[in-house]
Amino acid sequence: NAGVTQTPKFRVLKTGQSMTLLCAQDMNHEYMYWYRQDPGMGLRLIHYSVGEGTTAKGEVPDGYNVSRLKKQNFLLGLESAAPSQTSVYFCASSFDRRPEAFFGQGTRLTVV
Amino acid sequence: EDQVTQSPEALRLQEGESSSLNCSYTVSGLRGLFWYRQDPGKGPEFLFTLYSAGEEKEKERLKATLTKKESFLHITAPKPEDSATYLCAVPIPESGGYQKVTFGIGTKLQVIP
């Protein structure tokens, strides 16, 4: 039972490049989330999904897009990376609205 | 504005030296408070949920308590393996029934052997 798996674990991008972060969960959870974590700031929600085919904006959605084509996968896209998007990104999932979530190991992204 | 504030930002303890971490919040209509543990380079790991003032939860050397304005995470006789950043989080209702979770910045605990 892997839980929540994020791919890749590390990435360096040049400004303007695009990339997709993949999150996969094997717990049959309905809810999935993408957070970013920056020094001196709490985890901030980027986008979330309450089920297959649904997505919604969180606290800091600008510059990101998401898709949930399959229940077990939640993709986070950066169309044109900016240095301000340098951060550690965490995916999480939960069974229902209760925010007792399971988190992935994180993706450390650096935009130069 | 709904806020979650944790103190201290960092805490250094000798092994066996008990202490408490604080999480204060300004949220109307609290619908729970959550504690997570985060080890370096890893995602947060869920520890506890507290729903009402006076409630307590325990796990090994950790005990979480909740009042109407704050929560404490008490660490009794800590060991070096308790070293981690401890996060608290509060759900805030949004339209459509979703509860946005607001996280504090955490308390980084270091337990010295």
Side-chain angles (χ1 to χ4, degrees):
Chain A
N1 189 343
V4 179
T5 304
Q6 291 182 231
T7 309
K9 291 184 170 51
F10 303 93
R11 186 72 186 269
V12 179
L13 282 180
K14 292 183 178 180
T15 298
Q17 285 185 321
S18 63
M19 78 163 293
T20 300
L21 281 65
L22 172 63
C23 177
Q25 54 95 2
D26 60 4
M27 296 171 283
N28 202 34
H29 285 170
E30 289 292 338
Y31 286 61
M32 296 188 74
Y33 318 84
W34 276 106
Y35 288 91
R36 61 178 289 174
Q37 187 174 41
D38 301 291
M41 305 189 75
L43 284 157
R44 292 182 294 168
L45 183 66
I46 305 171
H47 286 281
Y48 65 96
S49 169
V50 301
E52 181 178 316
T54 73
T55 63
K57 294 180 180 179
E59 186 181 356
V60 288
D62 294 342
Y64 305 95
N65 57 75
V66 288
S67 64
R68 183 117 180 253
L69 299 179
K70 294 183 178 180
K71 186 177 183 178
Q72 63 267 34
N73 296 336
F74 196 28
L75 278 63
L76 177 70
L78 286 73
E79 290 185 348
S80 180
S84 60
Q85 294 178 304
T86 294
S87 186
V88 180
Y89 291 85
F90 288 101
C91 175
S93 70
S94 62
F95 181 68
D96 55 20
R97 288 193 301 167
R98 292 171 296 173
E100 298 128 317
F102 293 82
F103 282 79
Q105 296 281 51
T107 296
R108 183 173 294 276
L109 174 66
T110 302
V111 182
V112 298
Chain B
E1 182 183 348
D2 298 316
Q3 283 192 332
V4 178
T5 304
Q6 292 189 248
S7 62
E9 289 188 9
L11 181 62
R12 196 175 185 198
L13 299 174
Q14 292 291 327
E15 184 172 1
E17 180 187 1
S18 301
S19 188
S20 297
L21 314 182
N22 177 265
C23 173
S24 63
Y25 57 88
T26 53
V27 176
S28 58
L30 185 71
R31 287 166 174 77
L33 185 141
F34 310 92
W35 283 98
Y36 286 83
R37 168 189 171 129
Q38 186 173 22
D39 292 300
K42 295 191 176 181
E45 177 186 351
F46 173 75
L47 290 173
F48 303 112
T49 303
L50 301 166
Y51 284 107
S52 57
E55 187 175 0
E56 298 182 353
K57 292 278 181 70
E58 288 189 63
K59 181 178 182 179
E60 296 181 354
R61 294 174 293 281
L62 300 177
K63 183 169 77 173
T65 62
L66 182 65
T67 72
K68 289 185 178 180
K69 293 184 178 181
E70 58 193 347
S71 176
F72 292 94
L73 185 64
H74 307 278
I75 304 177
T76 303
K79 298 182 177 181
E81 53 262 42
D82 295 321
S83 297
T85 296
Y86 291 86
L87 307 173
C88 74
V90 173
I92 299 168
E94 297 273 302
S95 60
Y98 172 69
Q99 296 186 113
K100 184 185 80 169
V101 178
T102 295
F103 283 83
I105 63 171
T107 293
K108 186 175 182 179
L109 173 66
Q110 183 183 15
V111 182
I112 314 283

